[in-house]
Amino acid sequence: MINFFFQPASIAIFGASTNPNKSGYKLVQNILDHNYSGSIFPINPKGGEILGKKIYKNLSEISEEVELAIIFVPNSKVISILKECIVKGIKGAIIESAGFGEVPEGLKLVDEIKVITENFTKIRVFGPNCTGLTFIQKDGEGFFASFVPMPKIKTGSIAIISQSGFINGGYFLNITSRHPNLGFRYVCAIGNKMDLNENDLLEYIMQDPEIGVICIYVESFFDVRKFIRLCNLAKNEYNKKIILLRSGLSKLGSQATASHTGALARERTELIKAVIKQCHCIEAEDFKNLFQIAYALDFTKNSDIHQVDNPGVSIITISGGAGAVMADLCDKFNVKIPLLSKNSFDELSLIYPKWMPPQKYSLLDIWPAVENAAGDYQKVMLKSLEIVLSDPNIHAVFLTAFYSRTSWKMNWYLVEELIKEHRKPVYVWLFGEYSDVLEAEKIFQELKIPVFYSEKEMISTFSKTISQ
Amino acid sequence: MINFFFQPASIAIFGASTNPNKSGYKLVQNILDHNYSGSIFPINPKGGEILGKKIYKNLSEISEEVELAIIFVPNSKVISILKECIVKGIKGAIIESAGFGEVPEGLKLVDEIKVITENFTKIRVFGPNCTGLTFIQKDGEGFFASFVPMPKIKTGSIAIISQSGFINGGYFLNITSRHPNLGFRYVCAIGNKMDLNENDLLEYIMQDPEIGVICIYVESFFDVRKFIRLCNLAKNEYNKKIILLRSGLSKLGSQATASHTGALARERTELIKAVIKQCHCIEAEDFKNLFQIAYALDFTKNSDIHQVDNPGVSIITISGGAGAVMADLCDKFNVKIPLLSKNSFDELSLIYPKWMPPQKYSLLDIWPAVENAAGDYQKVMLKSLEIVLSDPNIHAVFLTAFYSRTSWKMNWYLVEELIKEHRKPVYVWLFGEYSDVLEAEKIFQELKIPVFYSEKEMISTFSKTISQ
């Protein structure tokens, strides 16, 4: 078990710095800021004090037991520190320093580490060349081992395993500040994965009942067969959704990853694609897409939304043109727009004008009905939504939402009530005056309703959530 | 010539209303709000006054000449009004009312209109079932004939021809408020195109030397051969960029457009695709994409940026993982990442640490150089940008920008200076703490630097600007 990496009883931090501009300072600060509950031992040969904590000059000064080490010192010093850690009986080390597999000189260091750790049997290693890991136990609390300072983040059912450090750094900051209501539990930036790799973490995390969605970004597969087996196990036995972004598929992409984390481009593109297919994961197209899918899946899970196989979707729009473009996109992404049930059609007919009845298909341009209701947009939108959500042929809704604080008001909490009542996913494509849109966006984030600014993104994301 | 539709000397507005909640009021308000310079004659059988203007009971009350009519009355009343307009010698009518080609009863009306207008030789018709047109002559001024109130919009080199009304309504509001620095000249919502169609407008607009980019959204082609000819003429003779979004390609999409604007789905999907190919337009994937491409092209044109055929692009990133994903996407979208020139490599080597030299390819992960410069992100980013912009092998740059007001400051005006000096396009993928990102976004909008929140969107949009 590798539990001590996420909930260590005590940690030694090699490379702790008293200079607030240095990452060795921010690392300690990040841990203290999030109420880490165990003992902390900052270490630096210079000694001193950091944020009220004594800095030890070396490990032998510490009489207490230490469970985990975080190492953030130049690569040349890592070997001797690891030796000390082994002597001390430390179980694991997160090496955030760079300069190992990704540079020629570092390869020798890797070999040496393998020898002294007896192939990582004496001590387990996380990294190197990484931003460490974040374990969010309670809202805003847990073990935050990245040298990139993190704000308070909600705990939740999403886990991330990433070979790229910026997923436990700047980009994670972007995602969590954009979606403040989205909860994460594990963020693992595995770096060069000298010892612990995506398979170890996937195997560990998939057994956590708190986890619903696992996002994986890798630049190489450590053990392809095991990865395929674990993905299918996670999906079928543990009921997890896995979203995968794999880079290095192109010639240049694989060259880039080789220089970055030392991943070797042994596999050919076609082979990688075949592997991905066998994993039965949801495949993300870029980092934004990875988190959009996670966001949509998380919303579905946490709001106890029903998702059915081969769902029928209704489009509610106030623009026929937008409806036509969306219908084409549904066709492209294999999303089915069924016929309305007779009951729905009859009910809709009551709110549409006689000269412009609703369509037979569940593609609803509600504009004529809004005109018919003397412009009462909200009334017509809510009534239409209620009708299609009650329709047994319809399992999800794409809502085209023009929002304006002044002329096109809409109480989104009433939309949420309908979603909760019918437990079918509703995705929103939002547009309008930009400051109004940003206002509405906050409400959608609060309600955890998936919101998009592009019709293609909305439909493509939905199609991915049903494709696994 | 159809100049009187855009710059009419005088207009009669049928269906003007004294009720501020009605579209017949907003229509007049919209015209007055934007300093329309001609004479305005609101008309309603009830009479009264609107916004300080007398409402005439009918056209015969007006002794002055009237050049253009805007008709916003129930469909049944349109025929008699058109007859009056012909008698009065009015040159054109914008019919914004619905209930013509898109409903069975309306087809009879269409036939009757053709008879009384003698196939539109007695009066030209724009619409019906549309939000009219907007002609922006000066910043915030011109002829704003939509019943959807518009804010002040900048004039510029973009024209829009759209079969969907929401492009001269809610969605246009979204685009212009999001990109306040983006300038438009024509926005034509052609609706059912009973008389004037996309070909007439394209032919007229392409001759306007102020125009650089023409965005077209259509649900059907009126005359396919002419459209192909005009697109190629606009491109080759008049040096315009045309971006095309065509809906109704799927079965459901064509059904949707049929009920919406009465467009008949005569053409088969494959045929439509073949037509689009022959137009040599840039094809947009959805409405967001349409305007993203327009935004990028407009920036290139107005900032006097050089665009070359088959450009080499450099990626500057602070994340190796992001770089790897972007390299894969460049491969997917046929964007070339060339080798650095020897000079660039040598110059970059000076700022990279010895243990981690730059790559040979123009894919720059500047993180090691930032560490080497004791974290001076801005210095390294600007220096790297300067080096690649000076490289003769490189014609454009994708900049991965992590921005933070507190810890990762960046003076984007210095980036703009480099762009102006080297006249090569720089696209930005922006991320960071969300409120910081929104702050930076404003600066990018001011500088008109294309900014994206998805690496795929950035690369795909760039690839479209070079594909025509």
Side-chain angles (χ1 to χ4, degrees), chain A residues 26 98-99 102-105 147 164 166 170-171 173-174 177-178 217 219 245-257 259-260 285-288 319-325 327-329 331-332 337 354-356 359 361 363 365 367 402 407 429-434 437-438 441 453-457, chain B residues 26 98-99 102-105 147 164 166 170-171 173-174 177-178 217 219 245-257 259-260 285-288 319-325 327-329 331-332 337 354-356 359 361 363 365 367 402 407 429-434 437-438 441 453-457:
Chain A
K26 290 174 185 163
E102 73 280 17
V103 291
E105 308 85 81
F147 58 85
S164 170
F166 98 135
Y171 201 73
L173 198 61
N174 186 71
S177 57
R178 177 74 193 272
Y217 167 71
E219 305 177 350
L245 176 61
R246 168 63 157 90
S247 73
L249 267 76
S250 67
K251 187 162 166 271
L252 189 67
S254 63
Q255 279 168 339
T257 56
S259 75
H260 164 225
E285 294 166 56
D286 68 0
F287 287 107
K288 184 186 181 193
S319 157
V325 169
D328 281 355
L329 289 165
D331 184 70
K332 183 174 175 181
I337 310 289
K354 287 233 161 44
W355 57 266
M356 189 76 184
Q359 278 217 62
Y361 283 91
L363 166 51
D365 177 0
W367 182 259
F402 174 54
S407 54
W429 169 27
L430 180 65
F431 56 90
E433 202 279 321
Y434 193 48
V437 160
L438 291 176
E441 151 101 27
Y453 297 111
S454 141
E455 56 276 38
K456 188 188 165 204
E457 254 175 38
Chain B
K26 290 173 185 162
E102 74 279 17
V103 291
E105 308 85 80
F147 59 84
S164 171
F166 99 134
Y171 200 74
L173 198 62
N174 186 73
S177 57
R178 178 73 194 272
Y217 167 71
E219 305 178 350
L245 177 60
R246 168 63 156 91
S247 73
L249 268 76
S250 66
K251 189 164 164 271
L252 189 68
S254 64
Q255 279 169 338
T257 56
S259 75
H260 165 226
E285 294 166 55
D286 67 1
F287 287 107
K288 186 186 179 191
S319 156
V325 169
D328 280 354
L329 288 166
D331 183 70
K332 183 175 173 180
I337 310 288
K354 287 236 159 45
W355 57 268
M356 188 77 184
Q359 279 216 64
Y361 283 91
L363 166 51
D365 177 359
W367 183 259
F402 174 54
S407 53
W429 169 28
L430 180 65
F431 56 91
E433 202 278 321
Y434 193 47
V437 161
L438 291 177
E441 151 101 26
Y453 298 111
S454 143
E455 55 277 38
K456 189 188 164 204
E457 255 176 37

Side-chain angles (χ1 to χ4, degrees), chain B residues 134-399:
Chain B
T134 302
F135 175 71
I136 307 159
Q137 197 162 14
K138 287 193 273 184
D139 286 351
E141 292 187 21
F143 179 47
F144 284 61
S146 172
F147 59 84
V148 181
M150 293 280 167
K152 303 287 175 201
I153 295 163
K154 282 208 170 184
T155 188
S157 63
I158 304 176
I160 304 170
I161 300 168
S162 165
Q163 208 166 335
S164 171
F166 99 134
I167 295 294
N168 199 28
Y171 200 74
F172 191 54
L173 198 62
N174 186 73
I175 295 300
T176 52
S177 57
R178 178 73 194 272
H179 307 293
N181 218 8
L182 198 60
F184 294 86
R185 194 163 159 86
Y186 301 91
V187 190
C188 311
I190 56 178
N192 290 20
K193 49 189 187 183
M194 189 189 279
D195 170 22
L196 285 171
N197 57 54
E198 65 276 13
N199 291 340
D200 301 310
L201 289 158
L202 179 55
E203 193 164 20
Y204 178 78
I205 288 169
M206 73 184 185
Q207 297 177 55
D208 185 337
E210 301 285 326
I211 291 301
V213 179
I214 304 173
C215 303
I216 302 177
Y217 167 71
V218 282
E219 305 178 350
S220 63
F221 293 120
F222 177 79
D223 176 342
V224 164
R225 282 172 207 217
K226 189 168 181 188
F227 186 70
I228 294 172
R229 190 170 59 73
L230 288 173
C231 284
N232 284 289
L233 197 66
K235 188 189 163 196
N236 301 323
E237 294 295 314
Y238 293 98
N239 198 25
K240 312 297 185 196
K241 299 274 189 184
I242 299 182
I243 315 164
L244 176 65
L245 177 60
R246 168 63 156 91
S247 73
L249 268 76
S250 66
K251 189 164 164 271
L252 189 68
S254 64
Q255 279 169 338
T257 56
S259 75
H260 165 226
T261 50
L264 289 177
R266 261 175 266 159
E267 316 112 325
R268 289 207 335 275
T269 304
E270 290 313 308
L271 192 66
I272 302 170
K273 285 185 180 162
V275 167
I276 293 170
K277 215 170 169 188
Q278 288 180 65
C279 293
H280 299 102
C281 295
I282 300 169
E283 215 188 325
E285 294 166 55
D286 67 1
F287 287 107
K288 186 186 179 191
N289 191 231
L290 182 74
F291 287 100
Q292 269 183 331
I293 301 165
Y295 177 65
L297 287 173
D298 189 64
F299 149 75
T300 308
K301 187 185 152 72
N302 286 325
S303 307
D304 198 18
I305 299 286
H306 282 279
Q307 257 187 324
V308 301
D309 288 336
N310 195 22
V313 180
S314 175
I315 295 172
I316 298 180
T317 174
I318 51 156
S319 156
V325 169
M326 288 161 80
D328 280 354
L329 288 166
C330 283
D331 183 70
K332 183 175 173 180
F333 292 108
N334 289 313
V335 174
K336 200 176 64 177
I337 310 288
L339 287 166
L340 288 166
S341 70
K342 190 182 174 303
N343 191 45
S344 298
F345 184 83
D346 291 346
E347 276 201 72
L348 283 167
S349 297
L350 296 176
I351 60 168
Y352 272 68
K354 287 236 159 45
W355 57 268
M356 188 77 184
Q359 279 216 64
K360 287 174 300 165
Y361 283 91
S362 58
L363 166 51
L364 273 58
D365 177 359
I366 60 170
W367 183 259
V370 172
E371 281 200 345
N372 203 37
D376 194 339
Y377 169 55
Q378 171 162 312
K379 195 177 96 183
V380 174
M381 159 97 91
L382 291 172
K383 185 67 193 166
S384 309
L385 185 59
E386 196 185 357
I387 292 170
V388 294
L389 284 173
S390 308
D391 191 320
N393 296 345
I394 292 164
H395 312 98
V397 179
F398 296 148
L399 208 61

Side-chain angles (χ1 to χ4, degrees), chain B residues 78-92:
Chain B
V78 169
I79 302 269
S80 64
I81 287 173
L82 273 181
K83 281 181 184 167
E84 286 177 48
C85 289
I86 293 170
V87 170
K88 177 83 180 168
I90 290 176
K91 293 178 186 164

Side-chain angles (χ1 to χ4, degrees), chain A residues 99-222:
Chain A
F100 294 90
E102 73 280 17
V103 291
E105 308 85 81
L107 289 171
K108 228 189 99 219
L109 291 174
V110 176
D111 286 341
E112 212 173 326
I113 289 173
K114 282 183 187 165
V115 171
I116 63 153
T117 63
E118 295 180 20
N119 267 323
F120 310 106
T121 54
K122 294 287 178 195
I123 189 167
R124 300 301 307 262
V125 169
F126 190 102
N129 189 20
C130 72
T131 46
L133 56 87
T134 302
F135 175 70
I136 307 159
Q137 198 161 14
K138 287 193 273 183
D139 287 350
E141 292 188 20
F143 180 47
F144 284 61
S146 172
F147 58 85
V148 181
M150 293 282 167
K152 302 288 175 203
I153 294 163
K154 282 207 170 186
T155 187
S157 63
I158 303 176
I160 304 170
I161 300 166
S162 165
Q163 208 166 334
S164 170
F166 98 135
I167 294 294
N168 200 28
Y171 201 73
F172 192 54
L173 198 61
N174 186 71
I175 296 299
T176 52
S177 57
R178 177 74 193 272
H179 307 293
N181 217 7
L182 198 60
F184 294 86
R185 195 164 158 85
Y186 302 91
V187 190
C188 311
I190 56 178
N192 289 20
K193 48 189 189 183
M194 189 190 279
D195 170 21
L196 284 172
N197 56 54
E198 66 276 13
N199 291 341
D200 301 308
L201 289 157
L202 178 55
E203 194 164 20
Y204 178 77
I205 288 170
M206 73 183 182
Q207 297 176 55
D208 185 337
E210 302 284 327
I211 291 300
V213 179
I214 304 172
C215 303
I216 302 176
Y217 167 71
V218 282
E219 305 177 350
S220 63
F221 293 119
F222 178 78

Side-chain angles (χ1 to χ4, degrees), chain B residues 62-76:
Chain B
I62 302 163
S63 54
E64 292 90 338
E65 267 191 32
V66 177
E67 196 169 25
L68 187 72
I70 302 175
I71 303 178
F72 197 68
V73 298
N75 59 355
S76 59

